[in-house]
Amino acid sequence: MEDMHLDESDIAERYVTGRLSAEERAGFEAHFVDCARCLDRIEAAEGLRDALARPTPPQRPLLLRIPRRSRPPAFAMALAASIVVLLGVPVALSLRAASRAERALDAERSAAAQAAQRLGDLEQKLGGAQAALRQEQEARSALETQLAGERRPQLQVPVFALIATRGEESETLRLPARPQWILFSLERESPPRFSQYRVTLLSSDRRQLWQGQVEHTSSDQLAIGLHSSLLPPGAYLLQLEGIGRAGSLTRVAQHAFRAVATPPDSATHER
Amino acid sequence: MSSQLNSMATSSGSEKQSRSLAELIRSGDAAAEQELVLRYSRGVKAILRNAAADRSVVDDLHQETFRIALEKIRRGDLREASGLSGFIASLARNLATDYFRRSRRPDSRDAATLESIQSSEAGALDRIAAGEQARCVRQVLEELNTERDREILRRFYLSSEDKEKICDDWGLSSLQFNRVLHRARERYRELYEKATSGRDKS
């Protein structure tokens, strides 16, 4: 990776502000998860974003302070006393009025600061809600893409004819490399006794992965469609039970198999 | 851009380390498991923070990511050991997306978001950190050369406007724009590290 190039890039900023596409974001995450320099950049960009989003605390209004002298000169005291005597009550009233006006002004400033604070809070919440909405849209878009893929007609569906196994016997199924629908073909009991069957798919530790009811496909076959994503490499057991008229279950057969992934060219099974 | 990102993801120079780390974990080496957590913890948290605002969710998903990652590596589910970074990053992102999908309904989304913002603001330490962040960002803004640079920073971080539009409005090239972001980010980092190291010492 070229660090000089990344220094000049805005990828960390675009990442923390949600401006990368899903593909770009995945590529960048796969890189920076193990890159201390990029993590430094991301954390700095996050700090900058958070601090900018936070409302700035209101600054206190500057008060004009007149320095006091510890000992006023005598002539000044005399002059002040004379002014008080001469101007008397009217000046005192004016000072009171000025004081009231100053208090009202302070109250207005305080209210304005609170309003600014509230506005900042709301802007921050709006930013958070917008980020959450973006994430939801991305998740939805990913789901839609997945759904569109699933809806595409599948022209080549691998079919695996499973034969009943006993004891330690097991078949090996080479599943397609890409997840897709596959078809299992199972033999019915001879002569056929049931029209409905319960099929159970178990993992090697006997955990139930899937269960469903099927009807016979032909006089001697049952067909079950499964998505290969249900079968990561490992050992499995497919149990087939016949459902009687009263709902009673009778074991018909079991099919032990091992799923392995194959290169994209072929999907086969072997014994 | 995507080819640049792909090359970044695969040419980090630590592929050999990743491969041997995954192999050691698979062979049951507990020290290798600890090393994996130490090595990827910070990156996983960054991904989860990006996906979910709530800190308690990040902590929970962080633990869950490593629990599942170690389980899969031990089982040998990681096909390409050299893709360890991509595997862990994608696991963290998927867990966060899945959590989001399960826990939120569209109509309760705004309320949940606001709650998470409120809860994330709690705590004296958070308030101290927030105060330091605010001081640092004020200084960064004051030190920027022009009002134009300050405005660019605000618009880029606080609005969802396209970078191209901001560049057009100010007659800037993409490189000039990136330099403004780069200078601000590096200066902020420097100031914040200085402020937090002072606090740690005291």
Side-chain angles (χ1 to χ4, degrees):
Chain A
M1 188 193 62
E2 298 171 16
D3 285 324
M4 284 304 289
H5 183 69
L6 266 190
D7 277 340
E8 294 289 315
S9 145
D10 60 348
I11 192 163
E13 282 83 359
R14 292 202 296 130
Y15 178 72
V16 302
T17 55
R19 284 178 165 90
L20 291 182
S21 69
E23 189 192 355
E24 288 171 330
R25 191 187 61 206
F28 185 46
E29 285 176 344
H31 163 73
F32 80 63
V33 74
D34 189 25
C35 173
R37 294 190 67 174
C38 283
L39 284 167
D40 285 346
R41 293 185 186 109
I42 288 167
E43 284 166 6
E46 284 173 339
L48 203 52
R49 175 201 62 196
D50 295 346
L52 281 166
R54 201 167 287 122
T56 312
Q59 292 191 336
R60 291 184 176 196
L62 290 174
L63 296 177
L64 188 61
R65 292 179 186 276
I66 300 169
R68 285 184 183 175
R69 294 186 180 200
S70 54
R71 267 206 226 160
F75 78 89
M77 292 292 286
L79 181 62
S82 308
I83 290 169
V84 169
V85 170
L86 287 173
L87 299 178
V89 177
V91 172
L93 288 174
S94 300
L95 286 173
R96 282 184 63 186
S99 171
R100 272 203 303 275
E102 195 174 339
R103 277 201 299 276
L105 185 61
D106 280 349
E108 289 295 328
R109 279 180 181 149
S110 170
Q114 282 174 0
Q117 174 94 33
R118 276 200 300 276
L119 181 63
D121 285 348
L122 287 172
E123 278 174 350
Q124 190 186 3
K125 286 170 183 175
L126 180 65
Q130 281 173 337
L133 182 64
R134 269 202 304 276
Q135 281 177 338
E136 183 66 26
Q137 283 169 340
E138 281 173 17
R140 185 176 175 167
S141 162
L143 273 177
E144 280 171 355
T145 308
Q146 192 183 346
L147 187 62
E150 294 295 333
R151 279 179 175 159
R152 266 200 299 275
Q154 199 171 315
L155 300 177
Q156 290 181 319
V157 180
V159 179
F160 298 93
L162 296 183
I163 299 170
T165 55
R166 288 181 186 177
E168 298 298 311
E169 282 181 343
S170 174
E171 287 183 283
T172 299
L173 308 187
R174 299 194 176 279
L175 299 182
R178 288 186 175 179
Q180 66 170 100
W181 286 98
I182 55 175
L183 208 59
F184 283 159
S185 168
L186 312 177
E187 285 181 339
R188 293 177 71 192
E189 70 283 1
S190 181
R193 286 191 295 148
F194 306 102
S195 58
Q196 280 204 320
Y197 297 85
R198 186 171 83 172
V199 182
T200 308
L201 179 65
L202 302 167
S203 62
S204 57
D205 56 359
R206 290 295 186 269
R207 198 159 40 86
Q208 183 178 306
L209 301 174
W210 174 80
Q211 190 171 67
Q213 287 189 10
V214 292
E215 289 187 6
H216 60 91
T217 317
S218 67
S219 59
D220 56 351
Q221 296 285 324
L222 290 174
I224 304 162
L226 284 177
H227 201 265
S228 65
S229 60
L230 195 63
L231 299 168
Y236 298 92
L237 186 68
L238 195 70
Q239 286 182 340
L240 185 63
E241 294 164 298
I243 304 176
R245 289 185 188 282
S248 60
L249 295 167
T250 306
R251 173 75 60 86
V252 172
Q254 65 175 25
H255 305 80
F257 65 90
R258 173 170 290 279
V260 295
T262 58
D265 55 342
S266 65
T268 57
H269 76 284
E270 56 195 46
R271 221 158 172 191
Chain B
M1 170 57 85
S2 60
S3 64
Q4 179 200 341
L5 288 166
N6 287 338
S7 69
M8 281 176 9
T10 55
S11 64
S12 62
S14 58
E15 285 180 11
K16 274 188 182 173
Q17 288 176 9
S18 301
R19 191 175 298 124
S20 60
L21 195 57
E23 281 162 6
L24 285 170
I25 291 170
R26 224 172 137 182
S27 68
D29 186 335
E33 295 187 354
Q34 281 186 357
E35 193 186 328
L36 177 114
V37 175
L38 283 175
R39 182 165 155 187
Y40 288 103
S41 175
R42 194 175 161 212
V44 165
K45 279 194 173 166
I47 293 171
L48 296 173
R49 275 199 309 276
N50 188 265
D54 189 340
R55 181 186 287 185
S56 63
V57 173
V58 170
D59 289 342
D60 287 351
L61 293 180
H62 176 257
Q63 297 232 0
E64 187 66 358
T65 303
F66 284 106
R67 187 187 68 74
I68 296 175
L70 287 171
E71 216 169 72
K72 284 183 178 251
I73 298 169
R74 281 186 213 126
R75 271 207 315 254
D77 286 355
L78 177 61
R79 307 271 169 77
E80 297 289 332
S82 58
L84 185 60
S85 298
F87 162 71
I88 288 179
S90 144
L91 180 59
R93 169 63 63 176
N94 288 342
L95 279 175
T97 306
D98 191 43
Y99 173 85
F100 236 101
R101 207 176 292 149
R102 276 187 288 114
S103 65
R104 304 233 166 130
R105 290 178 186 167
D107 55 351
S108 64
R109 177 160 205 88
D110 286 350
T113 305
L114 297 186
E115 275 170 22
S116 74
I117 289 168
Q118 282 159 2
S119 65
S120 69
E121 284 178 355
L125 208 58
D126 286 351
R127 282 198 295 277
I128 291 168
E132 272 160 4
Q133 281 183 329
R135 271 195 297 283
C136 294
V137 86
R138 262 205 300 276
Q139 190 169 339
V140 170
L141 290 174
E142 280 166 15
E143 286 177 7
L144 285 175
N145 288 340
T146 61
E147 182 56 34
R148 178 201 71 180
D149 290 359
R150 287 186 273 277
E151 183 60 20
I152 285 171
L153 218 55
R154 285 195 196 97
R155 281 175 69 179
F156 182 78
Y157 276 105
L158 299 183
S159 76
S160 52
E161 286 178 88
D162 286 339
K163 170 183 165 181
E164 288 71 24
K165 181 170 185 323
I166 305 174
C167 284
D168 281 351
D169 288 352
W170 289 100
L172 285 174
S173 69
S174 177
L175 190 60
Q176 287 170 318
F177 182 88
N178 288 357
R179 281 185 180 145
V180 174
L181 294 186
H182 170 70
R183 271 201 304 272
R185 181 227 298 154
E186 293 306 306
R187 182 64 181 136
Y188 171 83
R189 193 167 75 182
E190 193 183 317
L191 288 169
Y192 189 68
E193 275 173 7
K194 206 169 154 187
T196 48
S197 69
R199 185 181 72 198
D200 294 344
K201 277 175 195 164
S202 65

